[in-house]
Amino acid sequence: MPLSPGASVTAFAPATTSNLGPGFDVLGLALDGPGDTVTATLSPTPGVRIVSIEGDGGALPLDPQQNTAAVAAAATLALAGVALGVELELSKGLPIGSGLGSSAASAAAAAFATNLLIGGPLRKRELIEPCLDAEAVVAGRHADNVAPALLGGLILVRRTDPLDLIRLPVPPGLWVGLVTPAFELQTRVARAALPEAIELAAMVRQSADLAALVSACHTGDLALLSRCVVDEVVAPRRAALIPGCGEVIAAAERAGALGSTVSGAGPTVLALCRSRSNAIEVTAAMAAAFEASGLSSTSFVSTADCPGARRR
Ligand code: HSE
């Protein structure tokens, strides 16, 4: 158990995509690709400090009250009842405001590293609450990114208070393509664009699609899954903020995606696909559609059954 000053632990937490169509704030999926890395080092000075951030272009705050890595680390120490000092070095592999769970990855990597640093008193699931405290600072108290960032796989967040999470099976063979345009959309802004209330008929259709999507995950029915990647409530409001988004989704569907929608709060667009080769074709078509709208982009493909935070 490394508890001497200067001892350190490095952890990585992956990108995640959330919502998946009808599951606004309740469905989240871990991805295989970029992520954030945090090194936590024991310090003789109590409290949590961010000593360096790399890969953010200077955009993220060093203030430990405002930075999700520091908030999650401090909340992890508090939950464990440990009054130690921790210094964090954050290496951002994820673009900020991209719809790939950037703030959640920083929080998950920091909570995971901090817990290991103090001897691992908390289980992975118990780290979700500290990460929720962190998300609340920047993007609202939702667990659909932090839960898969920590636990991996596909997670249904039934409640955040008290936390009630359900792991869903990932349909065999499912791949994901993700295309991120060079365009930042802050989660706060993307959430402010959402309607205060929705019509009952829309609620009925959204509930039916979410229920059917969960069933498709259990049965591995990709044809049913394809019919359920639908969101008439949230994604259209975000799509209106993302240049070319409608064309990008249409391009994914023409290239054979099972479904395509905004990833999390955007502007990344996600496509669910039947195979790796189809995911590669689909992401190329999506990137071309963004290009036609004047936006360069980066993309990656991922299996849908990926691990969460781990030691590096
Ligand atoms: N479910 C959230 C949203 C994810 O769509 O706003 C953003 O982090």
Side-chain angles (χ1 to χ4, degrees):
M1 192 166 72
L3 281 179
S4 53
S8 71
V9 171
T10 298
F12 170 86
T16 51
T17 184
S18 59
N19 305 343
L20 297 172
F24 175 65
D25 277 3
V26 304
L27 284 180
L29 179 74
L31 298 168
D32 178 21
D36 287 359
T37 303
V38 171
T39 298
T41 303
L42 272 185
S43 154
T45 313
V48 173
R49 280 167 305 286
I50 303 264
V51 293
S52 67
I53 307 178
E54 174 260 304
D56 69 326
L60 289 176
L62 289 165
D63 177 355
Q65 314 290 327
Q66 299 299 320
N67 184 296
T68 62
V71 173
T76 299
L77 293 175
L79 186 62
V82 171
L84 290 170
V86 173
E87 293 184 343
L88 301 177
E89 294 160 67
L90 170 59
S91 176
K92 291 293 299 175
L94 290 175
I96 299 158
S98 61
L100 290 171
S102 172
S103 56
S106 296
F112 190 75
T114 301
N115 184 47
L116 284 183
L117 186 69
I118 60 173
L122 301 171
R123 289 173 298 130
K124 245 185 176 184
R125 270 193 181 232
E126 292 175 296
L127 299 177
I128 292 171
E129 285 288 354
C131 290
L132 267 175
D133 290 352
E135 281 287 66
V137 170
V138 291
R141 200 179 156 78
H142 55 88
D144 51 339
N145 291 109
V146 292
L150 279 164
L151 305 176
L154 176 59
I155 306 289
L156 170 67
V157 182
R158 185 181 158 266
R159 291 281 188 281
T160 51
D161 194 15
L163 201 55
D164 186 357
L165 302 177
I166 298 138
R167 180 180 291 284
L168 297 177
V170 173
L174 188 65
W175 279 74
V176 190
L178 298 117
V179 181
T180 306
F183 174 77
E184 185 182 339
L185 178 57
Q186 286 187 358
T187 302
R188 210 187 297 278
V189 173
R191 290 179 84 82
L194 301 182
E196 292 270 311
I198 63 168
E199 286 186 4
L200 190 62
M203 190 277 282
V204 170
R205 289 190 292 271
Q206 198 95 343
S207 306
D209 284 328
L210 179 56
L213 189 150
V214 170
S215 172
C217 289
H218 278 278
T219 59
D221 183 342
L222 294 185
L224 176 59
L225 183 73
S226 177
R227 299 202 297 280
C228 299
V229 185
V230 181
D231 168 15
E232 62 182 281
V233 174
V234 173
R237 307 292 179 121
R238 268 87 183 260
L241 305 175
I242 305 166
C245 187
E247 289 80 5
V248 172
I249 290 172
E253 290 171 355
R254 273 197 308 277
L258 293 165
S260 177
T261 187
V262 178
S263 171
T268 294
V269 180
L270 148 101
L272 297 181
C273 300
R274 284 178 192 279
S275 65
R276 180 173 184 273
S277 59
N278 183 235
I280 291 169
E281 284 165 19
V282 165
T283 47
M286 294 160 78
F290 266 132
E291 193 69 45
S293 298
L295 287 176
S296 62
S297 61
T298 56
S299 57
F300 67 100
V301 299
S302 169
T303 57
D305 197 3
C306 302
R310 58 244 190 216
R311 194 166 186 160
R312 269 279 158 91

